[in-house]
Amino acid sequence: MAGRESWRPHLGLVRAASVVLVLSVVAPGLLASKVVTFDSILIYTTHEWLPFKPNIYFHCQGENKTFLPDVKETNVLYSFKGQESWQPLTVLNEKKCKRCGLYEQDNFKNDDVFDEWELCPDDFVQGLYRHFKKNEFNATLRCTVDASSNDGSDQPSSTKDTSSHKHVHIILVVIICTLVSVAVIAAFVVAYRYWQKWKREKDQARFLKIFDENDEAEDEIQLSNAV
Ligand SMILES: *[C@@H]1O[C@H](CO)[C@@H](O)[C@H](O)[C@H]1NC(C)=O
Ligand SMILES: *[C@@H]1O[C@H](CO)[C@@H](O)[C@H](O)[C@H]1NC(C)=O
């Protein structure tokens, strides 16, 4: 009995602590959105039959197409700063992949596909990800955590805005985490108190029952003696 009493509240505390731990690990991950840009691209071929310049675009499912206005020649390496008017390509959130690809617009039939693949936040090694497809293209994608922190040359006002936004986000998350953990701990304390009360009442009832039974037994003994 004493053993059960001592481990039950500990289990409650362990649960509360693990909830807080999980929240504090998951919450910052929700804030880190990764901005993806083209670092360089080289196409080996075009899919257009007619002697038109190709219209090449990058596209992730459910998003807008991003046309690469400069990429017109095959076997030429195009390098980008990441600040071009048409960048960035997309934003990756949390630990979620996106189905993206490189395509060539076709005026007469369906657009041609260079390649289509799952673009995942984990694929970027030191901020870079290389996607190569034989006879099609060789591209390097870059991923930065904040759009306005590519380098110091952007407008400082917008940098300030986004970073203060981020601070507000972090503060909000901290407050929410704290409130949730306080609520969880309070719930466990209340539950433990109820459990103690319930147990005490049950013990009392059992004690009274034993007492009654003893009384009845004594009565019976007295009765049988009298007979
Ligand atoms: C897609 O483009 C339209 C019009 O150019 C714009 O209003 C919309 O916000 C864009 N959507 C995304 C997800 O960028
Ligand atoms: C792809 O391009 C990168 C440079 O952008 C180069 O280092 C790499 O060797 C190329 N890969 C192939 C298969 O050509």
Side-chain angles (χ1 to χ4, degrees), residues 127-141:
L128 291 178
Y129 166 66
R130 182 158 296 147
H131 194 91
F132 169 77
K133 191 172 179 195
K134 198 163 182 279
N135 297 331
E136 295 282 355
F137 69 98
N138 177 10
T140 307
L141 294 159

Side-chain angles (χ1 to χ4, degrees), residues 28 97 100 115 153:
C97 304
C100 302
D115 196 14
S153 60

Side-chain angles (χ1 to χ4, degrees), residues 144-195:
T144 40
V145 169
D146 192 0
S148 48
S149 64
N150 273 347
D151 51 31
S153 60
D154 299 54
Q155 316 90 321
S157 62
S158 80
T159 310
K160 239 184 204 165
D161 275 351
T162 38
S163 72
S164 72
H165 264 266
K166 231 177 160 184
H167 279 151
V168 170
H169 267 254
I170 290 169
I171 289 166
L172 266 181
V173 167
V174 167
I175 289 171
I176 290 168
C177 281
T178 314
L179 286 179
V180 167
S181 25
V182 167
V184 166
I185 290 168
F188 273 110
V189 168
V190 168
Y192 177 57
R193 289 257 166 87
Y194 265 104
W195 176 74

Side-chain angles (χ1 to χ4, degrees), residues 17-194:
S18 53
V19 166
V20 172
L21 195 72
V22 165
L23 274 176
S24 57
V25 169
V26 169
L30 297 177
L31 298 172
S33 54
K34 296 172 169 182
V35 178
V36 178
T37 55
F38 259 128
D39 198 55
S40 72
I41 187 165
L42 184 155
I43 54 169
Y44 299 108
T45 185
T46 64
H47 299 86
E48 194 68 76
W49 289 0
L50 302 167
F52 291 144
K53 294 288 180 199
N55 273 324
I56 291 167
Y57 66 91
F58 177 92
H59 176 238
C60 292
Q61 248 170 37
E63 296 184 0
N64 287 342
K65 297 173 182 178
T66 307
F67 281 91
L68 312 179
D70 305 316
V71 181
K72 297 294 178 193
E73 306 290 337
T74 57
N75 295 307
V76 173
L77 180 68
Y78 294 91
S79 295
F80 307 107
K81 285 193 230 163
Q83 300 170 328
E84 289 77 11
S85 56
W86 46 270
Q87 301 249 46
L89 302 173
T90 187
V91 176
L92 293 172
N93 290 313
E94 303 160 45
K95 292 227 159 268
K96 191 119 180 108
C97 304
K98 281 186 181 176
R99 187 91 194 150
C100 302
L102 192 71
Y103 309 86
E104 184 178 331
Q105 195 173 42
D106 197 306
N107 296 319
F108 303 106
K109 52 185 176 66
N110 288 341
D111 290 356
D112 305 294
V113 181
F114 280 88
D115 196 14
E116 217 174 60
W117 71 97
E118 290 282 320
L119 185 66
C120 302
D122 286 348
D123 289 343
F124 290 85
V125 179
Q126 291 179 336
L128 291 178
Y129 166 66
R130 182 158 296 147
H131 194 91
F132 169 77
K133 191 172 179 195
K134 198 163 182 279
N135 297 331
E136 295 282 355
F137 69 98
N138 177 10
T140 307
L141 294 159
R142 182 182 293 278
C143 149
T144 40
V145 169
D146 192 0
S148 48
S149 64
N150 273 347
D151 51 31
S153 60
D154 299 54
Q155 316 90 321
S157 62
S158 80
T159 310
K160 239 184 204 165
D161 275 351
T162 38
S163 72
S164 72
H165 264 266
K166 231 177 160 184
H167 279 151
V168 170
H169 267 254
I170 290 169
I171 289 166
L172 266 181
V173 167
V174 167
I175 289 171
I176 290 168
C177 281
T178 314
L179 286 179
V180 167
S181 25
V182 167
V184 166
I185 290 168
F188 273 110
V189 168
V190 168
Y192 177 57
R193 289 257 166 87
Y194 265 104

